Amino acid sequence: FTRYFDEIVEGVDQLAEESQSRIAMSPELSFVEKKLNQVKDKLEARSKEAQEAEQRKNELVVYLAHDIKTPLTSVIGYLSLLDEAPDLPTEQKAKYVRITLEKAYRLESLVNEFFEITRYHFQTVPLKKERIDLYYMLMQVADEAYPQLSADNKQIEIQAAEDITVYGDSDKLARVFNNIIKNAIAYGEENSIIIISAELQDHAVVIRFSNKGTIPPEKLRAIFEKFYRLDDARSTATGGAGLGLAIAKDIITLHGGTIEACSDSSQTIFTVTLPNDPD
């Protein structure tokens, strides 16, 4: 019994020391060995989760600093010019003020994005679900995207029954659809048509966003990750912090639905599936 006790103590010591080797005991203590290894596996899993959480936090700080630095540097630069040269021509002053204001809005947008993704990630956002006129909502987000569409000679075509509805938070879902459309406009082919379709399937509503353009498989796998940008240009004038599709995924997950993307040699399709019954 003393030997068995010593084996148990040694096994517990291995847990405390976070040893990488498996705990092994005499056949008579196989049940204790199994339990201790189960505890060991749980502790290792929790340690790994803690390390990953710490890594994500560090990445958030790095990306936040990177994305905020660019517009902030511009704001400081142009304000310094205005401060150091008060006798600048009126037109030149107006130009600098306009650019500074644009960069300040850009900075505000980035900060809001980071706050938003943090809230959705920790699922602290309450949903105000109601029956939504889906056809009208899709028409509305298409109208809101008209300036961007017009700039690239693109159009949106909606293929859905006018009486189709969905159960969800209208503001949050509108943001999802806006983010998907922005992505389709930014990365789709010029002079193309973005087709949005919606249909009922059993107790769910399936909404598809199809546009001409291809996403490579290796990039498609990461498209819903935070801070991911398809063009790898993280500080473009028109792009965000790479959070739009990550936020869209979190919103759809909160609704109990799914969002997926597929791409072939001719087109890319985003598919949103939402439960259509009240909780």
Side-chain angles (χ1 to χ4, degrees), residues 210-221:
S210 173
N211 67 280
K212 289 185 177 180
T214 301
I215 300 176
E218 67 277 7
K219 295 190 175 184
L220 192 65
R221 287 191 292 269

Side-chain angles (χ1 to χ4, degrees), residues 156-198:
I156 287 181
E157 179 181 316
I158 297 176
Q159 300 176 355
E162 294 186 9
D163 60 348
I164 190 169
T165 63
V166 68
Y167 191 74
D169 186 312
S170 59
D171 290 337
K172 306 297 188 302
L173 291 181
R175 174 156 194 177
V176 170
F177 301 153
N178 273 316
N179 287 347
I180 296 175
I181 290 173
K182 285 180 181 178
N183 186 83
I185 294 172
Y187 301 108
E189 295 180 4
E190 290 189 11
N191 303 311
S192 60
I193 298 176
I194 300 169
I195 298 176
I196 305 175
S197 65

Side-chain angles (χ1 to χ4, degrees), residues 29-75:
L29 295 176
S30 61
F31 69 99
V32 179
E33 175 186 316
K34 181 179 179 181
K35 289 293 183 182
L36 287 177
N37 278 314
Q38 287 176 347
V39 173
K40 178 180 173 62
D41 291 340
K42 289 182 180 179
L43 290 174
E44 289 177 350
R46 289 177 182 175
S47 176
K48 184 178 180 181
E49 289 175 359
Q51 291 175 359
E52 291 175 350
E54 181 68 17
Q55 183 178 353
R56 287 194 297 269
K57 184 188 74 173
N58 293 336
E59 287 175 353
L60 177 64
V61 173
V62 170
Y63 282 121
L64 176 61
H66 179 281
D67 275 343
I68 286 181
K69 183 178 179 181
T70 302
L72 184 59
T73 300
S74 296
V75 169

Side-chain angles (χ1 to χ4, degrees), residues 218-233:
E218 67 277 7
K219 295 190 175 184
L220 192 65
R221 287 191 292 269
I223 200 169
F224 294 108
E225 291 181 6
K226 300 173 182 63
F227 312 112
Y228 187 80
R229 291 182 57 86
L230 285 173
D231 60 3
D232 297 323

Side-chain angles (χ1 to χ4, degrees), residues 7 22 44 65 74 85 144 166 182 194 197 203 247 250 269:
E7 285 188 38
R22 303 295 290 175
E44 289 177 350
S74 296
E144 291 173 358
V166 68
K182 285 180 181 178
I194 300 169
S197 65
H203 297 285
I247 290 174
D250 284 346
I269 300 175

